[in-house]
């Protein structure tokens, strides 16, 4: 029996029944973010004591589950003993049987990339959890409270919360602040969450200002490149200084060709005397790698980008580029396989990466030269299946890098001249070979 017909944030509903001499009631309430609270109550009006055990469970199938990736977990998860557990997979439950973490349950359930279903036990209650495979692609997450002996004329109740909704970071943060332990860890940010989350905040802020997620990504790229510009300036200045002392370096290499230790000592002395740091030119690239990783995680995990349009045919920046060359941008009735799904943004990525390498001093090693020559086109194929938002960021970053290099070469014409001479010499050597 139910005392209401509609469950809303303003109208909770209680269902009740009588069985075995006991009265069972569950009072359901829900908030605006789809957090359901179920208050289970058992009353014992009879003459004898009974043992009852409150419980909750979630069933789900893996047929509709998002793909579990190396950097993004999808499947059973929860917080046990104060730590988020991303290690249990659907296949594990099928092959190895049920998994029952022994630590105290903070919450437990199933996660997809964008969605979460989680059971949160009553604060302070002694509860255990576990996962199991039920067969036929079905799985279950259990939340079991300690059995209670119910004396005649007494009652017992437990309050359990069920979250079933989108993994919006601000919503999860609010529930965590309200007392659900590490609820924000439902988003698999990884070890560098402290570094990744500021980029999400900035992206959300720019989106709130522009109301266009593609424009927000472009502005985010401009901000990142502006922050890195002073470092790039120092890197170019260091490269220019290295080019200026190249004749002296070659002289030392010739003079001490039979004494490598002495050669290294003299090289270090030369660097110190000229005020040159040979590693400074690599610093901008090294700093870009963790930033690119952070943005990759943001673009993959942030539901904010899901179904967000940009311009033209870009209706969902969290999905791959829908305009693929092999099917003539959708005119032909077939979808190419992922590794051949080259879209406009992937081509722009390859071309801009190639232009970036063209403006970079060529490595002396012929093998490295070949790698630099094919890398843009390898990346074009490798990145094509990724979210269009990530490709938009990387392409915009490449365009800004080209503009930045043009500007810095104008400030260091001797470096540009040296690069052109190097490339001419490399090309001449290759033609002779």
């Amino acid at each position: 029996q139910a005392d209401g017909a509609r469950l809303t944030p303003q109208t909770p509903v209680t269902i009740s029944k009588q069985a075995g001499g006991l009265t069972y009631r569950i009072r359901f309430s829900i908030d605006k973010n789809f957090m359901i609270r179920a208050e289970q109550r058992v009353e014992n009006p009879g003459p004898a004591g009974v043992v009852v055990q409150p419980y909750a469970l979630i069933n789900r199938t893996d047929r509709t589950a998002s793909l579990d990736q190396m950097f993004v977990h999808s499947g059973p998860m929860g917080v046990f003993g104060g730590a988020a557990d991303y290690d249990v997979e659907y296949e594990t439950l099928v092959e190895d049987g049920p998994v029952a973490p022994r630590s105290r349950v903070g919450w437990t359930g199933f996660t997809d990339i964008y969605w979460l279903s989680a059971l949160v036990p009553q604060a302070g209650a002694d509860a255990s959890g576990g996962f199991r495979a039920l067969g036929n692609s079905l799985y279950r997450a259990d939340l079991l409270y300690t059995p209670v002996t119910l004396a005649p004329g007494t009652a017992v109740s437990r309050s359990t919360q069920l979250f079933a909704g989108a993994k919006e970071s601000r919503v999860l943060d609010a529930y965590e602040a309200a007392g659900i332990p590490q609820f924000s860890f439902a988003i698999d940010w990884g070890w560098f969450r402290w570094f990744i989350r500021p980029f999400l905040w900035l992206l959300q802020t720019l989106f709130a200002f522009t109301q266009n997620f593609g424009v927000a990504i472009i502005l985010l790229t401009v901000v990142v490149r502006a922050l890195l510009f002073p470092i790039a300036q120092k890197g170019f200045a260091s490269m220019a200084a290295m080019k200026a002392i190249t004749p002296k370096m070659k002289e030392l290499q010739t003079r001490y060709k039979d004494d490598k230790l002495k050669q290294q000592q003299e090289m270090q002395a030369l660097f110190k005397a000229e005020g040159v740091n040979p590693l400074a030119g690599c610093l901008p690239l090294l700093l870009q790698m963790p930033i690119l990783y952070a943005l990759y995680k943001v673009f993959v995990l942030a539901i904010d980008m899901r179904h967000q349009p940009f311009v033209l045919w870009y209706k969902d920046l969290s999905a791959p580029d829908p305009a693929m060359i092999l099917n003539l941008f959708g005119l032909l009735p077939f979808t190419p396989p992922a590794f051949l799904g080259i879209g406009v943004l992937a081509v722009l990525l390859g071309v801009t990466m190639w232009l970036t390498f063209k403006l970079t001093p060529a490595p002396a090693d012929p093998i490295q030269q070949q790698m630099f020559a094919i890398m843009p086109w390898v990346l074009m194929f490798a990145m094509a299946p990724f979210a269009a938002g990530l490709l938009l960021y990387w392409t915009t970053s490449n365009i800004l890098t080209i503009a930045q290099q043009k500007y810095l070469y104008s400030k260091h014409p001797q470096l540009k001249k040296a690069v052109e001479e190097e490339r001419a010499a490399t090309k001449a050597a290759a033609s002779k070979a």
Side-chain angles (χ1 to χ4, degrees):
Q1 295 180 338
D3 65 358
R6 183 177 174 85
L7 175 63
T8 72
Q10 293 75 36
T11 57
V13 174
T14 299
I15 60 174
S16 60
K17 74 170 184 177
Q18 292 184 342
L22 302 176
T23 300
Y24 298 89
R25 306 182 196 277
I26 305 179
R27 182 180 185 272
F28 291 104
S29 57
I30 188 171
D31 67 13
K32 63 180 181 180
N33 293 314
F34 303 100
M35 178 70 83
I36 298 172
R37 181 182 294 274
E39 298 178 33
Q40 298 169 280
R41 179 180 174 86
V42 183
E43 301 168 359
N44 181 16
V50 294
V51 177
V52 296
Q53 184 175 22
Y55 70 94
L57 62 88
I58 297 173
N59 284 350
R60 78 150 295 164
T61 176
D62 64 352
R63 294 192 185 100
T64 55
S66 55
L67 182 65
D68 187 56
Q69 304 173 33
M70 181 181 297
F71 300 112
V72 183
H73 176 66
S74 176
M77 77 159 295
V79 167
F80 307 98
D85 187 346
Y86 306 101
D87 295 333
V88 183
E89 299 178 0
Y90 293 116
E91 294 81 359
T92 304
L93 300 179
V94 172
E95 296 171 1
D96 301 335
V99 173
R102 297 182 179 180
S103 303
R104 187 183 186 91
V105 179
W107 55 268
T108 183
F110 297 97
T111 183
D112 288 328
I113 292 179
Y114 293 133
W115 316 105
L116 174 70
S117 54
L119 294 167
V120 184
Q122 179 176 310
D126 190 8
S128 61
F131 305 103
R132 68 185 67 198
L134 302 178
N136 197 28
S137 294
L138 291 175
Y139 302 84
R140 193 167 91 187
D142 293 300
L143 179 65
L144 303 172
Y145 292 95
T146 301
V148 178
T149 300
L150 197 57
T154 62
V156 64
S157 63
R158 290 290 182 269
S159 179
T160 304
Q161 291 173 281
L162 166 67
F163 179 82
K167 296 197 299 187
E168 299 178 72
S169 58
R170 291 170 178 170
V171 171
L172 300 180
D173 289 342
Y175 284 129
E176 184 172 308
I180 300 179
Q182 295 180 308
F183 207 50
S184 63
F185 282 71
I187 301 177
D188 186 6
W189 298 114
W191 289 100
F192 299 102
R193 67 191 305 269
W194 56 271
F195 182 67
I196 296 170
R197 297 204 59 176
F199 287 101
L200 175 61
W201 172 86
L202 179 57
L203 189 60
Q204 290 171 334
T205 303
L206 291 172
F207 174 58
F209 175 71
T210 63
Q211 294 301 303
N212 185 299
F213 217 90
V215 175
I217 290 173
I218 293 173
L219 292 179
L220 174 68
T221 312
V222 172
V223 171
V224 171
R225 299 301 306 184
L227 292 175
L228 290 175
F229 183 73
I231 300 171
Q233 270 189 312
K234 290 183 178 179
F236 257 73
S238 176
M239 288 170 61
M242 285 291 290
K243 291 296 180 185
I245 65 171
T246 296
K248 296 181 180 180
M249 293 171 59
K250 290 182 178 178
E251 181 184 344
L252 291 175
Q253 289 171 347
T254 303
R255 184 187 304 174
Y256 300 107
K257 63 180 180 180
D258 297 326
D259 189 345
K260 296 299 182 182
L261 179 60
K262 181 65 175 177
Q263 184 186 113
Q264 289 297 321
Q265 292 173 344
E266 291 297 324
M267 285 285 192
Q268 293 299 323
L270 176 63
F271 295 152
K272 186 175 181 180
E274 298 288 343
V276 174
N277 182 359
L279 299 179
C282 302
L283 189 58
L285 180 60
L286 293 176
L287 285 176
Q288 282 188 66
M289 296 309 293
I291 291 174
L292 184 63
Y293 171 74
L295 290 170
Y296 163 76
K297 293 283 280 191
V298 167
F299 294 150
V300 169
L301 295 174
I303 196 172
D304 311 69
M305 193 168 70
R306 185 175 183 269
H307 291 173
Q308 287 293 342
F310 176 37
V311 293
L312 302 175
W313 55 82
Y314 295 103
K315 306 302 183 184
D316 184 0
L317 287 171
S318 68
D321 191 337
M324 301 178 185
I325 294 174
L326 287 184
N327 64 5
L328 297 181
F329 308 109
L331 294 177
L332 300 179
F334 78 96
T335 301
F339 69 97
L340 291 177
I342 308 299
V344 175
L345 282 174
V347 173
L348 289 175
L349 173 65
V351 171
T352 54
M353 183 68 71
W354 176 76
L355 290 173
T356 302
F357 287 166
K358 288 286 286 184
L359 291 172
T360 304
D365 186 0
I367 296 178
Q368 291 185 14
Q369 292 175 20
Q370 294 177 6
M371 289 181 61
F372 270 57
I374 66 172
M375 188 180 296
W377 317 117
V378 171
L379 284 173
M380 181 180 72
F381 282 91
M383 296 300 296
F386 283 75
L390 180 62
L391 271 66
L392 177 62
Y393 162 78
W394 203 340
T395 301
T396 305
S397 180
N398 287 343
I399 293 172
L400 293 175
T401 298
I402 293 168
Q404 173 184 283
Q405 287 177 314
K406 290 281 190 181
Y407 170 78
L408 292 174
Y409 276 135
S410 69
K411 295 293 184 181
H412 302 280
Q414 74 279 14
L415 181 57
K416 182 179 181 180
K417 182 180 178 182
V419 170
E420 291 174 348
E421 291 175 351
E422 270 189 6
R423 290 198 173 276
T426 302
K427 189 175 181 180
S431 62
K432 289 180 180 180

